[in-house]
Amino acid sequence: MRKSLFILTSSLVMLGAVLSGCSGGGQTGGASGQSSAGQSTQSTTTAAKSPGEAKVLRWNLHSEPPTADPTIAEDTTSLAINKATFDGLTRIQEDGKPHEAIAEKIEVSPDMKTYTFKLRDSKWSNGEPLTAKDFEFAWKRALDPKTASNYAYQLYYIKNGEAANKGKAKLDDVGVKALDDKTLQVTLENPTPFFLELTAFDTYFPVNEKLVKANPNWATDAKTHLGNGPFKMESWEHKSKLVMVKNDNYWDKDAVKLDKIEFSMVEDENTELSMFENGEIDWAGHPLSSLPTDSMPAMKNSGKMVVHPVAATYWYKFNTEKPPFNNVKIRKAFAYAINRQSLIDNVLQANQQPAMAIVPPSMSLNPNGWFKDNDQETSKKLLAEGMKELGITKLPPITLSYNTSEGHKKLAEAIQDQWRKNLGADVKLENQEWKVYLETLHQGNYQVGRSGWSADFNDPINFLEIFKEKMGGNNDTRWENPKYKELLNQSALESDPQKRKEILKQAEQILMDEMPIMPIYYYTHTWVKNDKVHNVVTDALGGIDWKWASIE
């Protein structure tokens, strides 16, 4: 889920926001798995609501959602808001599998390349009917190069999707067509076993064509925002508060138990935890924020903290076009020079696992990893060789960038210290607000930057495809490798699961041999919640869904 996991986008991801698959902005501890339904982690003094009172869930987003437009969203926070205000053809439920949502019936051709979705009667939150044309418009809008959607590649599985996004085919040639108001036909390039997981993802959500064309800024204001999900926006005070209320026009409104969700936007994790302990919010921590690292030992010992591993990886990106990280040996020297287990034991403290590969354990291609943790001897050797190749005798000052978060800061400070001691590097730390930070990465105005990725679906390709294209939407490293691209293309045509896995393993080896990113750890999600909160679904990929949530 998610770019730059918020971790994070991303979620990061959420310390964002797995670039989401997705990326998040404020998490250091990880991304989540399994439903939290029925789990009791901490009680507050807040009195239980009487049957006649509104059921209100109070939550902290940690940072402002960069967008509420599902076509543009790429980070954990934005993806979560979209999940609440939109519904796709399918929706991931508590069992972790996609189920029919706006699609009432799904027919698949024998060759697994044509999907026909029969839509149920459903409406936009303003009461207007939702049709198959809304899906066709949304998907083609995401693929339109003018839209500049960084997640457009998620639609490359559709026939001519990639060609259209690269200006080599017309949008009319893309294999998605509304046959009538209730029938959507989709033709794929190749059989895609996880396609129904993709149709539950934000980039595949519908958008209202009439509104989008009339108001390009429709998704920045609650008054003009229009969705089709279990909730709708009531108000949005930017960088302060966002409120969603139950959508009475939602097709499955009887399943929605909450009347309202009130989101604050406090970046400081210690303040967030204090708000929770004072009864001001009902949940603290992942998947949209993180718990203060200093509080981890006490909460862990008390049994109040929930810890779940998730399919997400925290990493640092290298800008491979800026010296000294235009040299592969220097990139690898910096990656090998850190002691990941020490970072986990002394800074992160949430049972994370050191990452010596990009692909997380739930879909691992090489369980033993591609290099050793804390390999100081190899690191020093590579550094000397790399500096000689660049013709330098001293490393230039290095800037390590991260988005504002106490967890990101502490981890960066620890790595800064390790690089100083082990490599003699002079490392400056630089932090930025989440939305600004994302733009900084996209523009290539950095040397080393924190990021992460929470899977959008449980397949290695979701991690590897990020780095397929030098100018790909989420590839801020500016790295590209012809053989790597060839292997990913080859994997899309391979029907034998074991042969496909071997192809993807070869691709990951190239990625780790050239090290445009250095993996640091595999996420866990940690949080505390009130006993009265039930049925918040936190999936194995780090996503969150409030559709079935309740306050008892």
Side-chain angles (χ1 to χ4, degrees):
M1 133 180 166
R2 294 116 180 139
K3 160 148 189 169
S4 307
L5 277 162
F6 181 75
I7 271 178
L8 124 184
T9 78
S10 291
S11 321
L12 204 43
V13 351
M14 311 26 8
L15 289 166
V18 270
L19 290 141
S20 141
C22 270
S23 70
Q27 308 170 18
T28 49
S32 156
Q34 306 179 18
S35 165
S36 62
Q39 291 174 326
S40 171
T41 57
Q42 180 157 334
S43 300
T44 70
T45 56
T46 305
K49 298 181 184 297
S50 66
E53 284 189 80
K55 304 293 185 181
V56 181
L57 178 65
R58 300 156 307 162
W59 207 284
N60 184 47
L61 287 180
H62 185 277
S63 62
E64 169 91 352
T67 182
D69 180 347
T71 305
I72 304 298
E74 59 177 309
D75 67 290
T76 305
T77 308
S78 299
L79 297 174
I81 295 301
N82 290 331
K83 180 70 74 175
T85 53
F86 287 87
D87 210 1
L89 295 167
T90 55
R91 196 175 187 97
I92 305 297
Q93 293 193 14
E94 187 176 350
D95 60 5
K97 298 177 182 178
H99 294 258
E100 291 85 351
I102 300 301
E104 191 170 36
K105 184 180 180 182
I106 303 170
E107 299 172 354
V108 186
S109 63
D111 66 358
M112 303 292 289
K113 291 174 67 174
T114 301
Y115 285 70
T116 303
F117 298 91
K118 298 291 185 178
L119 276 56
R120 67 178 77 247
D121 290 333
S122 61
K123 299 177 181 179
W124 291 102
S125 56
N126 64 359
E128 293 179 4
L130 185 148
T131 72
K133 293 179 182 178
D134 293 313
F135 284 95
E136 180 182 351
F137 170 74
W139 297 7
K140 289 181 177 179
R141 174 177 176 246
L143 287 168
D144 189 339
K146 296 177 183 176
T147 305
S149 170
N150 286 327
Y151 251 132
Y153 67 85
Q154 290 286 42
L155 295 153
Y156 285 4
Y157 301 97
I158 300 171
K159 188 173 182 62
N160 289 321
E162 181 174 8
N165 187 236
K166 294 180 177 179
K168 298 178 180 179
K170 298 178 181 178
L171 289 171
D172 287 343
D173 297 331
V174 174
V176 54
K177 185 173 181 59
L179 301 182
D180 55 48
D181 284 352
K182 294 294 180 65
T183 310
L184 185 74
Q185 188 174 81
V186 183
T187 305
L188 305 182
E189 289 281 0
N190 302 292
T192 305
F194 45 81
F195 187 64
L196 293 181
E197 290 184 59
L198 285 173
T199 55
F201 189 69
D202 294 50
T203 317
Y204 282 79
F205 288 168
V207 294
N208 187 285
E209 180 176 4
K210 182 172 66 175
L211 174 64
V212 172
K213 288 183 175 179
N215 181 6
N217 298 315
W218 66 277
T220 62
D221 192 327
K223 294 177 182 178
T224 55
H225 189 269
L226 186 62
N228 70 316
F231 300 93
K232 63 180 181 179
M233 282 196 194
E234 181 180 71
S235 62
W236 188 356
E237 300 171 32
H238 289 280
K239 297 188 178 181
S240 176
K241 187 176 183 180
L242 189 153
V243 178
M244 298 190 301
V245 295
K246 181 176 178 177
N247 176 15
D248 288 331
N249 284 313
Y250 182 51
W251 71 270
D252 197 21
K253 66 179 181 180
D254 290 344
V256 182
K257 302 298 187 293
L258 294 177
D259 296 304
K260 182 182 292 189
I261 308 178
E262 296 179 347
F263 297 101
S264 53
M265 300 179 197
V266 175
E267 286 192 332
D268 184 77
E269 291 92 341
N270 288 291
T271 302
E272 177 181 307
L273 184 58
S274 295
M275 291 168 66
F276 173 79
E277 292 171 339
N278 293 333
E280 299 171 45
I281 56 176
D282 300 309
W283 188 294
H286 294 108
L288 300 181
S289 184
S290 58
L291 295 172
T293 54
D294 291 343
S295 70
M296 292 286 192
M299 285 193 290
K300 193 186 307 183
N301 292 336
S302 70
K304 296 175 181 178
M305 184 175 74
V306 178
V307 180
H308 279 305
V310 289
T313 308
Y314 189 100
W315 58 59
Y316 278 179
K317 297 181 178 183
F318 294 113
N319 187 333
T320 62
E321 291 186 337
K322 286 191 175 183
F325 299 113
N326 57 338
N327 182 278
V328 61
K329 290 182 178 178
I330 291 182
R331 296 197 297 268
K332 294 172 79 169
F334 273 70
Y336 294 179
I338 66 171
N339 186 331
R340 291 160 178 78
Q341 191 60 57
S342 174
L343 296 172
I344 291 169
D345 293 341
N346 299 307
V347 181
L348 300 166
Q349 305 182 77
N351 300 334
Q352 294 90 347
Q353 181 180 338
M356 266 68 75
I358 292 302
V359 178
S362 67
M363 56 189 92
S364 178
L365 297 168
N366 182 13
N368 296 322
W370 299 102
F371 57 95
K372 294 191 299 182
D373 186 26
N374 194 28
D375 189 352
Q376 301 302 326
E377 181 180 349
T378 305
S379 173
K380 289 180 172 61
K381 179 175 179 291
L382 289 170
L383 179 65
E385 292 175 357
M387 291 173 64
K388 184 176 181 180
E389 290 175 3
L390 290 178
I392 59 177
T393 56
K394 183 179 179 181
L395 279 172
I398 305 298
T399 299
L400 170 57
S401 305
Y402 59 92
N403 56 289
T404 304
S405 159
E406 186 64 24
H408 292 323
K409 177 183 177 183
K410 288 187 175 182
L411 186 64
E413 288 173 341
I415 291 177
Q416 174 192 41
D417 185 59
Q418 290 189 4
W419 280 343
R420 179 183 59 80
K421 291 178 179 176
N422 300 330
L423 299 175
D426 176 15
V427 182
K428 173 190 173 185
L429 302 184
E430 178 180 80
N431 78 290
Q432 294 177 323
E433 180 268 329
W434 179 229
K435 188 174 182 180
V436 175
Y437 178 70
L438 280 180
E439 190 59 27
T440 296
L441 292 184
H442 291 336
Q443 292 178 356
N445 295 328
Y446 77 102
Q447 280 185 294
V448 187
R450 69 119 323 243
S451 188
W453 194 262
S454 176
D456 301 318
F457 50 93
N458 199 47
D459 189 278
I461 192 67
N462 186 224
F463 285 78
L464 300 177
E465 67 185 348
I466 302 169
F467 308 99
K468 183 178 179 181
E469 304 282 353
K470 179 177 181 177
M471 300 307 292
N474 287 315
N475 184 9
D476 304 315
T477 69
R478 303 294 197 268
W479 174 85
E480 189 175 272
N481 179 288
K483 178 61 176 176
Y484 184 81
K485 292 173 65 174
E486 179 187 332
L487 287 168
L488 295 191
N489 290 336
Q490 187 181 342
S491 74
L493 302 174
E494 180 55 66
S495 58
D496 183 285
Q498 283 305 119
K499 290 181 179 178
R500 177 176 179 270
K501 183 176 181 179
E502 183 56 37
I503 293 169
L504 294 177
K505 181 177 179 180
Q506 293 176 45
E508 186 181 34
Q509 183 172 8
I510 291 174
L511 192 65
M512 291 292 88
D513 280 346
E514 299 205 8
M515 201 67 74
I517 52 175
M518 74 173 215
I520 301 175
Y521 65 85
Y522 301 121
Y523 278 91
T524 58
H525 268 180
T526 57
W527 67 79
V528 290
K529 75 176 186 69
N530 284 340
D531 286 346
K532 65 182 181 179
V533 177
H534 301 279
N535 302 322
V536 174
V537 174
T538 55
D539 65 42
L541 305 180
I544 188 166
D545 196 342
W546 296 287
K547 173 179 175 176
W548 300 276
S550 62
I551 299 284
E552 303 297 339

